[in-house]
């Protein structure tokens, strides 16, 4: 599998444990976290050492492989019950991104179907987790190819949060489109929003843009409207944590604001995500759980308190952009146009046919 230009991978299984790039330490330090138990994987997801919907899905899958190794029970039913209990805890680590539950369900299905003893089953689960990781890289590259086709020469593209190699197993979703368009010589320029409060844009997307030599500028989230009004943004491309069947999109808090601004200025608003981020069971975005994170993320910047003590805080980590504000959704199967209920379902059918119904 390919690696980051720096030679590091967002996550990798190394013999008997999972290694993660510690995303809370970037860009100042490239540090790694070794997860040897499934609880350590859950902790890393909660602490956002690994983050981004596809990356936490793959990490959780390897977490369940660790759980399978930790479960002592030799009897099949007892083994499965304990595996399901571990999966339930991992699933709750972060509630908004559907990739987490999607990956865990895939491993649990594999476990239930598997006829062998627990040791053979553990090997089968590792193969399934590796398949999820490999498919994610493949999907991102396809998203990059499909999405880059819509980009014109010299476009100035605004992006949000971090959707790059760090947020996935490798390559990136929305960032994958930027990367492909740049590699194809389209002469794009990127505006990266800093993404308060966790600063994924300032810390992580900036780091990836510099790695790839993509012409870019970092902007405050508050600058987006002004830059759009001055004609300095041709397109917005963002990722997604969960997309409902009708095309409503849950993504990093502030995405909805950008979608409204884009509509006001008649700028295309594009969402890029693998089909594993589409929750076909949810008719619309009203059913998507929105994670509320700790107040300290808002009261402190870079570890230093900026708000007075005792000030109450609201810190929703995601918001919902209604489908009517979305111009297109790019997945590994192509570019879906509105109405998304039909176009996403058509993409699911194509994808299932290609994968033999998996
Ligand atoms: O809280 P985070 O950093 O996990 O949120 C990440 C995002 O919102 C991304 O846009 C989304 O997961 C897509 S990543 C390919």
């Amino acid at each position: 599998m390919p690696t980051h230009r720096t030679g590091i991978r967002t996550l990798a299984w190394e013999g008997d444990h999972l290694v993660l790039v510690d995303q809370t330490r970037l860009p100042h330090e490239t540090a790694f976290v070794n997860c040897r138990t499934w609880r350590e994987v859950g902790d890393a997801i909660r602490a956002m050492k690994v983050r981004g919907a596809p990356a936490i899905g793959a990490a959780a899958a390897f977490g369940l492989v660790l759980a399978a190794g930790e479960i002592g029970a030799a009897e099949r039913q007892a083994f499965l019950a304990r595996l399901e209990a571990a999966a339930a805890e991992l699933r709750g680590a972060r509630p908004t991104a559907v990739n987490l539950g999607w990956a865990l369900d895939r491993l649990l299905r594999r476990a239930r179907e598997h006829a062998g003893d627990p040791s053979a089953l553990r090997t089968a689960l590792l193969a399934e987790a590796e398949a999820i990781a490999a498919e994610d890289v493949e999907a991102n590259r396809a998203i990059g190819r499909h999405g880059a086709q819509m980009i014109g020469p010299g476009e100035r593209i605004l992006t949000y949060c971090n959707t790059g190699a760090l947020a996935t197993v490798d390559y990136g979703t929305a960032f994958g489109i930027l990367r492909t368009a740049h590699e194809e010589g389209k002469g794009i320029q990127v505006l990266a929003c800093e993404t308060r409060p966790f600063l994924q844009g300032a810390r992580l997307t900036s780091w990836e843009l510099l790695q790839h030599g993509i012409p870019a500028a970092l902007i405050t989230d508050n600058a987006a409207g002004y830059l759009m009004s001055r004609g300095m943004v041709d397109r917005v491309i963002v990722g997604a944590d969960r997309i409902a069947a009708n095309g409503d999109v849950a993504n990093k808090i502030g995405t909805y604001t950008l979608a409204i601004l884009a509509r006001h200025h008649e700028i295309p608003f594009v969402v890029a995500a693998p089909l594993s981020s589409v929750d076909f069971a949810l008719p619309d975005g009203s059913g998507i759980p929105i994670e509320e994170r700790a107040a300290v993320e808002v009261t402190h910047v870079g570890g230093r308190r900026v708000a007075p003590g005792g000030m109450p805080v609201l810190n929703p980590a995601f918001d919902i952009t209604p489908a009517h504000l979305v111009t297109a959704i790019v997945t590994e199967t192509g570019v879906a146009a509105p109405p998304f209920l039909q176009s996403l379902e058509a993409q699911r059918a194509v994808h299932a046919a290609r994968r033999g119904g998996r």
Side-chain angles (χ1 to χ4, degrees):
M1 218 186 282
T3 56
H4 291 286
R5 257 189 207 173
T6 51
I8 60 168
R9 282 260 313 262
T10 303
L11 54 94
W13 182 258
E14 289 197 357
D16 59 353
H17 68 285
L18 179 65
V19 182
L20 304 169
V21 174
D22 186 345
Q23 300 192 34
T24 60
R25 310 270 283 272
L26 285 170
H28 307 299
E29 200 186 337
T30 304
F32 298 88
V33 189
N34 292 306
C35 298
R36 298 182 187 279
T37 68
W38 68 268
R39 286 188 194 281
E40 285 173 354
V41 176
D43 290 345
I45 294 173
R46 267 185 294 273
M48 289 174 66
K49 291 181 176 178
V50 59
R51 45 141 303 277
I56 61 177
F62 287 111
L64 207 60
V65 173
L66 287 169
E70 289 171 64
I71 294 169
E75 194 272 313
R76 186 181 157 75
Q77 281 318 316
F79 179 88
L80 285 179
R82 291 188 57 189
L83 197 66
E84 279 169 16
E89 260 197 60
L90 283 169
R91 197 186 299 267
R94 293 197 73 194
T96 303
V98 74
N99 306 63
L100 189 56
W102 169 86
L104 291 165
D105 284 341
R106 214 170 123 167
L107 260 73
L108 287 176
R109 215 164 33 241
R110 186 84 188 87
R112 288 186 205 109
E113 286 164 5
H114 197 273
D117 62 17
S119 151
L121 201 148
R122 280 176 203 123
T123 310
L125 290 183
L126 178 57
E128 193 70 16
E130 294 280 21
I132 285 172
E135 286 166 26
D136 182 57
V137 183
E138 206 184 300
N140 292 336
R141 287 188 174 270
I143 288 170
R145 282 194 302 277
H146 295 308
Q149 283 175 20
M150 64 169 71
I151 310 290
E155 272 195 19
R156 293 151 306 171
I157 303 170
L158 184 141
T159 193
Y160 199 57
C161 196
N162 172 264
T163 60
L166 289 166
T168 59
V169 177
D170 206 344
Y171 205 73
T173 57
F175 192 93
I177 297 177
L178 305 177
R179 198 166 153 177
T180 308
H182 172 69
E183 281 161 11
E184 288 176 354
K186 297 213 163 168
I188 61 162
Q189 291 177 54
V190 175
L191 292 171
C193 295
E194 59 178 352
T195 320
R196 273 282 288 155
F198 212 73
L199 299 173
Q200 291 94 331
R203 295 187 300 108
L204 308 175
T205 301
S206 300
W207 187 73
E208 292 200 49
L209 284 163
L210 288 171
Q211 263 189 52
H212 295 287
I214 303 174
L218 177 64
I219 62 168
T220 62
D221 302 333
N222 300 335
Y226 168 72
L227 295 172
M228 287 185 191
S229 76
R230 298 296 298 257
M232 291 169 73
V233 178
D234 299 308
R235 189 182 299 273
V236 178
I237 311 183
V238 299
D241 288 83
R242 191 186 300 223
I243 301 174
N246 72 340
D248 289 352
V249 175
N251 192 49
K252 181 51 54 195
I253 189 78
T255 303
Y256 172 52
T257 317
L258 289 175
I260 298 261
L261 285 171
R263 174 57 54 92
H264 181 77
H265 294 96
E266 297 178 6
I267 295 166
F269 184 87
V270 176
V271 175
L275 285 165
S276 56
S277 298
V278 183
D279 188 345
F280 287 96
L282 274 189
D284 60 54
S286 64
I288 300 178
I290 299 296
E291 178 185 9
E292 182 80 25
R293 291 192 59 87
V296 70
E297 291 180 0
V298 179
T299 55
H300 289 61
V301 176
R304 191 162 169 269
R305 175 177 276 285
V306 290
M311 182 63 193
V313 167
L314 287 178
N315 186 17
F318 301 95
D319 60 24
I320 311 284
T321 299
H324 69 87
L325 295 176
V326 178
T327 312
I329 299 177
V330 186
T331 76
E332 62 269 50
T333 1
V335 179
F340 295 115
L341 195 60
Q342 285 79 14
S343 57
L344 287 175
E345 188 53 50
Q347 291 216 358
R348 168 155 81 161
V350 170
H351 189 252
R354 282 188 194 154
R355 298 226 164 258
R358 246 192 322 149

